[in-house]
Amino acid sequence: MKEEQRSLLLSTTSRFPPPPGVKLSYGTAGFRADAGVLKSTVYRVGILAALRALKSESVIGLMITASHNKVSDNGVKVSDPNGGMLSQDWEPFADALANAPTPEDLLRLVDELTANKGIALDGTTSLEILVARDTRPSGESLLEAAKLGIESVIGAVASDMGILTTPQLHWMVRARNNGEKASENDYLEQLSSSFKCLMDLIPSGNENNQVGDKLIVDGANGVGGEKLIVLKEMLKLKGLTIEVRNTGKEGGVLNEGVGADYVQKEKVVPNGFGSQDFGIRCASLDGDADRLVYFIVPSKSGNNIELVDGDKISSLFAVFIKEQLSILKKEGGAKLSEDYPCRIGVIQTAYANGASTDFLKQLGLEVVFTPTGVKYLHEKAAQYDIGIYFEANGHGTILFSEFFLLWLKTTNNELCSVAKGSEQQKAASRLLAVSRLINQAVGDALSGMLLVEATLQHMGWSINQWNELYRDLPSRQLKVKVANRTAVVTTNAETKVVKPPGIQEAINVETAKYPKGRCFIRPSGTEDVIRVYAEASTQDEADRLANSVANLVDRYLGVRSS
Ligand code: G16
């Protein structure tokens, strides 16, 4: 490392000493903690992002967000050149860098990494890191720390993209590296034009459908609501009204009693919604708009909603895509000069409701499981021609392989010359529009929502009809505060605990008491808790199973708090 670089790093690092006694790790979605202890971590992730950009010779992203966590928390994560999560082999370095006690230790780590990865810190190249933040009040100063981290690496330049949803930033990074237009306006344009294309292709005769012309969206008092208001203007929708509540402008607090995580975990109406909304399709975004769930409010006063979660979104998309593929290849249509055996995979986690897995399998689809965290689901989905991945919490997207997209474009051109306007050609156009609408970089609540809306219009289904695709098995989620969440180690896509010894056997004994019982525990990657998930044939049994296992966790690991 040249002297100029060494002294730059030493002088800036000494301005950001790590808080004593705090040890953070790059978890399910980057570093998350109380915003008050994060400055040094965010500064160091700036250095990490700069090194990643120099190594990959590409644009990299850095997002300041704690997504669904409470407003006083914040976090930071890195977007790789393809718009996906940071390559997992860089995570140990992220941990080491974040926890290096002194500037000299940090310098030694940078030296080791640059030597290992062959990164030249000689300033001969200049690479850009796009930085953005959500609406958290702590975001502004943390973003400044990130910029300083980035610019303490010679050859790295920070571009401040302002307040964005997390998926917008990931989308921009991907677009920049693909040489495509990559501004926020380009993102909104792409979403609105592909949505309009899908709406123009709604089958005729679908006019008397049951969909309902109103959608009410809970913006979690975060960035998603704001962006949706802009998007809504661009869409100039006919026959669909979108009302946005909890935009953050009405005085509500981010993620407090609102948002996709609250709605999905508690299964109750968010603030600002009530029985007056009965019969209207409702949706909820999370704090940084990467998760989406739908819900139906109760007809009478009372709080319990009918949740239409990520598994249902996945199932709706699977039905729609399967239908388009079979129209495309239908006997009696124009003969395609080349066939392509499109492989579809649906990726789920242990949280997926058992009924959704059965439904997808009955559709004839391949269903595979990964641990929680889109970084795992995304990686698996990328192995298919069409990989549909959603976590039950509403985080997910659909990936199209380059190879399949190339075939689809060629087929569409071919059909346009021999059978323009045919059902087959429309099916090809719909699939192409889906690939442009749904975010190819990462799960995105806004693009997912538009695809749900277009799909419901296509099918002519109300939210109730969609919800009735299958009936969820009753389930319950709880969280348990423990002294040390890393004491729980799991295997088999988080369905079995290997540490501490004995607890899995105890969970098995509890689970066996309930018909159709299923239960697992896992350490959260974003909060200081152990999560408990239970499923059974009645709600009462699911509740009892979850409670008894939460007591077990408490007994084995610490103090039960919620
Ligand atoms: C993040 C990840 C999600 C994951 C969730 C799990 O969500 O991006 O893929 O499902 O964490 O959180 P935990 O490990 O606490 O259960 P988000 O929306 O907070 O970024």
Side-chain angles (χ1 to χ4, degrees):
M1 193 187 301
K2 284 192 176 153
E3 195 42 48
E4 186 194 356
Q5 174 65 82
R6 184 173 296 273
S7 56
L8 178 59
L9 269 174
L10 274 178
S11 68
T12 27
T13 306
S14 55
R15 291 169 54 193
F16 295 97
V22 178
K23 192 166 186 293
L24 298 174
S25 96
Y26 200 94
T28 325
F31 291 105
R32 296 233 177 129
D34 184 276
V37 300
L38 273 178
K39 244 191 196 144
S40 137
T41 313
V42 171
Y43 159 77
R44 288 153 186 241
V45 174
I47 299 175
L48 175 88
L51 295 172
R52 185 80 186 123
L54 290 171
K55 170 66 192 164
S56 58
E57 296 180 3
S58 309
V59 175
I60 288 285
L62 183 153
M63 183 74 198
I64 311 278
T65 178
S67 188
H68 75 271
N69 292 41
K70 55 185 191 279
V71 67
S72 53
D73 282 357
N74 215 328
V76 57
K77 58 182 163 187
V78 172
S79 158
D80 248 9
N82 60 5
M85 301 296 177
L86 174 69
S87 173
Q88 285 169 47
D89 60 335
W90 278 60
E91 289 183 9
F93 177 68
D95 287 350
L97 203 64
N99 297 305
T102 65
E104 290 72 22
D105 290 317
L106 183 136
L107 224 73
R108 190 180 37 76
L109 283 167
V110 173
D111 260 336
E112 272 170 28
L113 184 91
T114 47
N116 246 333
K117 305 260 182 206
I119 304 169
L121 290 178
D122 53 11
T124 47
T125 38
S126 164
L127 285 152
E128 209 178 330
I129 292 88
L130 310 185
V131 295
R133 63 183 177 96
D134 68 16
T135 52
R136 287 179 159 79
S138 55
E140 211 168 332
S141 67
L142 289 176
L143 195 125
E144 287 310 312
K147 283 195 208 161
L148 273 170
I150 291 166
E151 293 186 345
S152 60
V153 176
I154 295 173
V157 182
S159 294
D160 187 348
M161 312 310 288
I163 295 181
L164 293 178
T165 71
T166 298
Q168 280 183 316
L169 181 77
H170 285 257
W171 182 95
M172 285 175 184
V173 170
R174 181 187 161 86
R176 278 291 301 276
N177 289 316
N178 284 346
E180 295 160 2
K181 293 205 237 158
S183 70
E184 184 175 9
N185 198 52
D186 296 322
Y187 166 90
L188 295 167
E189 279 288 349
Q190 181 165 324
L191 258 57
S192 52
S193 63
S194 46
F195 175 73
K196 281 180 196 151
C197 175
L198 279 172
M199 295 300 277
D200 288 344
L201 289 164
I202 299 290
S204 53
N206 220 357
E207 294 80 11
N208 296 325
N209 65 48
Q210 307 290 307
V211 189
D213 57 5
K214 187 164 180 189
L215 168 70
I216 314 177
V217 182
D218 156 29
N221 291 321
V223 57
E226 247 174 62
K227 303 293 180 191
L228 180 57
I229 290 170
V230 182
L231 182 60
K232 196 174 97 151
E233 287 310 307
M234 288 177 82
L235 289 169
K236 296 205 172 42
L237 295 162
K238 283 195 205 96
L240 174 65
T241 315
I242 301 179
E243 180 186 333
V244 190
R245 295 187 191 160
N246 302 329
T247 62
K249 301 259 172 336
E250 307 93 336
V253 178
L254 178 74
N255 295 335
E256 208 174 282
V258 294
D261 192 64
Y262 174 76
V263 167
Q264 187 241 349
K265 300 259 166 47
E266 306 298 327
K267 295 192 187 134
V268 295
V269 286
N271 292 343
F273 287 71
S275 54
Q276 73 279 5
D277 303 316
F278 174 70
I280 304 172
R281 210 159 54 254
C282 298
S284 200
L285 318 176
D286 75 340
D288 63 341
D290 60 8
R291 296 198 209 167
L292 168 75
V293 294
Y294 275 69
F295 60 95
I296 304 164
V297 298
S299 57
K300 307 234 166 59
S301 57
N303 271 344
N304 294 337
I305 53 158
E306 189 77 44
L307 177 71
V308 186
D309 64 0
D311 301 335
K312 284 262 163 71
I313 297 176
S314 201
S315 302
L316 176 72
F317 292 169
V319 169
F320 177 66
I321 284 176
K322 248 199 119 210
E323 184 192 282
Q324 302 318 307
L325 283 171
S326 59
I327 297 174
L328 191 55
K329 296 183 172 188
K330 202 156 88 191
E331 286 290 319
K335 206 140 185 57
L336 306 176
S337 53
E338 213 187 311
D339 191 17
Y340 184 86
C342 172
R343 230 180 122 220
I344 311 181
V346 184
I347 326 298
Q348 299 192 312
T349 71
Y351 286 115
N353 196 279
S356 74
T357 313
D358 290 347
F359 174 79
L360 290 161
K361 285 186 175 164
Q362 274 157 20
L363 274 186
L365 296 171
E366 197 175 321
V367 184
V368 285
F369 289 84
T370 70
T372 300
V374 282
K375 61 186 176 189
Y376 302 115
L377 289 99
H378 189 100
E379 195 177 33
K380 196 79 203 162
Q383 295 169 7
Y384 292 85
D385 292 306
I386 303 181
I388 306 173
Y389 76 85
F390 273 88
E391 296 182 289
N393 64 23
H395 201 173
T397 189
I398 308 172
L399 298 183
F400 289 80
S401 75
E402 269 179 43
F403 211 75
F404 176 69
L405 277 181
L406 193 66
W407 176 82
L408 196 58
K409 282 176 195 158
T410 316
T411 302
N412 190 41
N413 290 342
E414 196 178 307
L415 286 167
C416 278
S417 60
V418 296
K420 194 167 170 54
S422 66
E423 282 312 308
Q424 266 177 309
Q425 193 261 312
K426 286 184 190 163
S429 294
R430 284 189 198 108
L431 288 172
L432 283 171
V434 172
S435 75
R436 289 185 57 72
L437 173 56
I438 196 89
N439 196 323
Q440 294 299 288
V442 79
D444 180 343
L446 295 180
S447 77
M449 194 188 82
L450 291 185
L451 185 55
V452 167
E453 291 303 308
T455 307
L456 290 179
Q457 296 286 345
H458 176 91
M459 299 294 189
W461 288 350
S462 66
I463 189 168
N464 291 302
Q465 286 168 298
W466 168 25
N467 193 33
E468 280 156 17
L469 277 181
Y470 59 84
R471 189 173 290 272
D472 275 323
L473 282 166
S475 67
R476 176 64 61 205
Q477 276 199 58
L478 296 175
K479 51 184 175 181
V480 185
K481 199 133 189 122
V482 292
N484 173 18
R485 67 179 148 139
T486 62
V488 172
V489 179
T490 63
T491 183
N492 284 359
E494 302 178 317
T495 51
K496 267 206 172 63
V497 186
V498 287
K499 271 187 198 162
I503 193 166
Q504 184 59 53
E505 290 70 23
I507 294 172
N508 293 347
V509 170
E510 284 308 311
T511 309
K513 293 179 185 164
Y514 301 91
K516 293 203 176 167
R518 184 169 76 88
C519 186
F520 67 90
I521 64 168
R522 56 173 283 275
S524 159
T526 64
E527 292 174 52
D528 227 355
V529 295
I530 298 296
R531 299 206 191 275
V532 177
Y533 176 87
E535 223 172 73
S537 47
T538 67
Q539 190 60 55
D540 177 55
E541 287 174 345
D543 290 349
R544 280 195 282 139
L545 177 55
N547 271 306
S548 57
V549 171
N551 285 331
L552 279 176
V553 173
D554 198 29
R555 182 138 42 91
Y556 274 77
L557 289 145
V559 188
R560 171 93 188 271
S561 81
S562 58

